[in-house]
Amino acid sequence: MQKSIFIEDIRSGKYDGEVVDLKGWITRTRGSNKIRFIVLRDSTGRIQCVAKRDVVGDAVFENLKAALIETSIELRGIVNVDDRSDGGYELVIQSANVIGEVNPESPFPITESAMANSDGGETEFLLDHRHLYLRTSRMTQMLKIRSSVFGAIHRYFRERDFTEYHAPNFVAGAVEGGSTLFEVPYFGRKAYLTQSWQLYAEAAMPALERLYTIAPSFRAEKSRTRRHLTEFWHAEMEIAWAGNSDVMEHGEKLVRTIAKTLLDERTEELTELNRDLDLISRYADNPYPRMRYDEAVEILQDMKVDIEWGQDLDYSKEKVLTQDFDVPHFLTHYPKIAKPFYHRPDPEDPKYVLCHDLLAPEGYGEIIGGGERTWSEAEILQRIDEEGTPRGPYEFYIDIRRYGGVPHGGFGLGVDRICSWLSGAEHIREVIPFPRDSRRVTP
Ligand code: 4AD
Ligand code: MG
């Protein structure tokens, strides 16, 4: 069955006054015994359609009158330019077929207005009905923005000759520390779900030199915050012959490219979400300043935030710090004790590591974590032993340094986090179709 035309084709003006076939779902319906006003939705928009009893005949009119919200229908009608209706067009229905009815015993529970009263989709009710909530305009906009973000990331790396590379999701060791590891039974042994692609990407670094991926990562995050998921999408890159600053340059260019792509592809969706496009332009055009960790701690202490040197910055601190930032800022040179073993100690002062986090403004905080890797055998053994990490699961990782190690680095970008920030979402759950957190694996 071929799709006739889409609602956005009508809005482009090329069908004015013509007879067209449309397929879609009813999102609103009202009227009298003589005339019905039906708002039809498809993947590209909405249009008001009018059915008059004396035009469509009694049988079709009765079917349309009985059709509940979310019934799928196909319509034939004349495109009418009409300034009074939303979008400037109306379809005058000539004939109609109901395709998929809605079960009247469990009527579709989610209307746009029910959703509008629901804190942007955060109630348990809406999460329980996520499979239906996906049909709301807010969710559709979010998913289209998300798709553009994924496209921008692939394009960024491919245009620069990065090779897309895949790592296993079942692993034997932690990347980002043991506290958020998901353990899975594995044929009588224990395995874990990967927290990051990085260690396995480093193994291919001497072969491919420039690698990237977009893949799910898993973290057993118990706390439910507006920026944590247990399964999130992770865009990661690894590059040979590169230092911390080179890696940051890629991170900055990538984030700016994503912002620019949304301005090119998704201004309509962003506007409907009430996002200020000037902010997105600013994120696309202006450079991102770099600041050392120590400076950030001083700023926070001046703001009377309770923080001690040596602590990683959690969300509560980043939120305060980034509230007044006008663009994303890099924080560099975190204390060694705050970061995992793979970060390279700064040769100028080994209390610090050559790393960076990119913090998004407006209180969003960390969207990227990355840096230069410890790359000599002696140094990696020292870091693993210092941390008290068993060497066993990392023998392959140490080997990379035993056989022709070179300086290299990379970063991980939380894709759901950047979608959340750029779309202005209240909560990271809003930008992923089926969010996973410590209390929910359904639907
Ligand atoms: O800072 P993280 O933990 O760094 C790494 O995993 C490195 N191995 C990446 C690398 O260098 N290749 O995670 C990277 C990013 C964070 O900045 C954040 O944006 C996102 O991943 N992230 C999460 N997003 C959603 N929910 C979670 N629970 C997340 N944990 C990390
Ligand atoms: Mg981090």
Side-chain angles (χ1 to χ4, degrees), residues 110-118:
I110 296 160
T111 61
E112 293 287 324
S113 58
M115 192 200 61
N117 301 326
S118 72

Side-chain angles (χ1 to χ4, degrees), residues 175-176 195-198 219 221 227-230 232 234 236-238 339 342 357 366-371 373 410-417 428:
V175 191
E176 298 300 321
Q195 296 165 312
S196 162
W197 154 104
Q198 178 195 327
R219 308 264 168 115
E221 309 273 3
R227 67 175 200 176
H228 284 98
L229 295 165
T230 52
F232 68 97
H234 207 170
E236 297 185 82
M237 66 85 94
E238 198 67 30
K339 291 286 175 187
Y342 60 75
D357 279 7
E366 179 186 344
I367 51 171
I368 280 182
R373 318 302 187 196
F411 66 76
L413 163 72
V415 186
D416 318 277
R417 282 197 188 172
I428 195 165

Side-chain angles (χ1 to χ4, degrees), residues 95-352:
S95 61
N97 279 324
V98 168
I99 305 295
E101 288 177 7
V102 167
N103 184 336
E105 268 137 50
S106 51
F108 188 67
I110 296 160
T111 61
E112 293 287 324
S113 58
M115 192 200 61
N117 301 326
S118 72
D119 302 337
E122 288 204 32
T123 63
E124 294 301 312
F125 174 81
L126 290 180
L127 286 165
D128 286 341
H129 294 85
R130 191 71 169 188
H131 48 295
L132 301 178
Y133 180 76
L134 296 182
R135 303 180 189 195
T136 58
S137 55
R138 185 176 176 85
M139 201 65 219
T140 307
Q141 285 144 7
M142 291 295 190
L143 293 180
K144 288 187 179 183
I145 288 171
R146 182 181 175 92
S147 171
S148 287
V149 171
F150 274 70
I153 296 170
H154 281 293
R155 271 197 304 280
Y156 177 88
F157 287 117
R158 282 165 179 270
E159 278 169 9
R160 288 163 182 80
D161 273 333
F162 279 70
T163 302
E164 184 172 353
Y165 166 84
H166 302 114
N169 288 323
F170 288 125
V171 295
V175 191
E176 298 300 321
S179 69
T180 64
L181 270 182
F182 270 115
E183 197 178 297
V184 278
Y186 199 82
F187 305 105
R189 273 173 296 161
K190 274 185 206 164
Y192 306 98
L193 294 181
T194 191
Q195 296 165 312
S196 162
W197 154 104
Q198 178 195 327
L199 304 193
Y200 289 89
E202 286 185 61
M205 175 275 302
L208 299 169
E209 295 187 85
R210 285 160 291 174
L211 314 69
Y212 85 100
T213 199
I214 313 179
S217 282
F218 303 89
R219 308 264 168 115
E221 309 273 3
K222 277 175 217 85
S223 57
R224 297 164 87 224
T225 73
R226 67 185 286 222
R227 67 175 200 176
H228 284 98
L229 295 165
T230 52
E231 176 180 358
F232 68 97
W233 284 78
H234 207 170
E236 297 185 82
M237 66 85 94
E238 198 67 30
I239 182 167
W241 316 104
N244 197 33
S245 182
D246 306 305
V247 177
M248 273 190 275
E249 242 171 72
H250 276 293
E252 173 170 345
K253 278 197 208 140
L254 173 62
V255 172
R256 282 158 54 148
T257 301
I258 294 170
K260 175 77 174 55
T261 301
L262 293 189
L263 290 174
D264 290 344
E265 298 178 5
R266 298 294 171 204
T267 51
E268 200 177 306
E269 285 79 5
L270 289 166
T271 307
E272 279 171 35
L273 291 168
N274 292 321
R275 193 65 171 134
D276 180 353
L277 296 181
D278 289 341
L279 285 179
I280 313 293
S281 301
R282 201 198 287 161
Y283 305 149
D285 297 338
N286 294 340
Y288 300 172
R290 300 177 181 187
M291 184 194 284
R292 288 180 69 111
Y293 166 91
D294 284 4
E295 203 183 321
V297 169
E298 268 172 39
I299 294 174
L300 283 168
Q301 285 171 342
D302 286 346
M303 294 166 99
K304 306 279 175 256
V305 174
D306 184 20
I307 176 161
E308 274 172 48
W309 188 92
Q311 286 179 324
D312 202 358
L313 303 183
D314 63 14
Y315 177 51
S316 65
K317 308 203 166 71
E318 288 181 2
K319 187 177 168 192
V320 178
L321 183 67
T322 62
Q323 208 74 60
D324 300 324
F325 283 0
D326 51 353
V327 289
H329 283 50
F330 283 104
L331 294 198
T332 67
H333 299 83
Y334 280 64
K336 188 169 75 175
I337 49 172
K339 291 286 175 187
F341 67 87
Y342 60 75
H343 288 285
R344 180 168 181 227
D346 183 354
E348 283 172 22
D349 186 349
K351 275 204 306 296
Y352 300 94

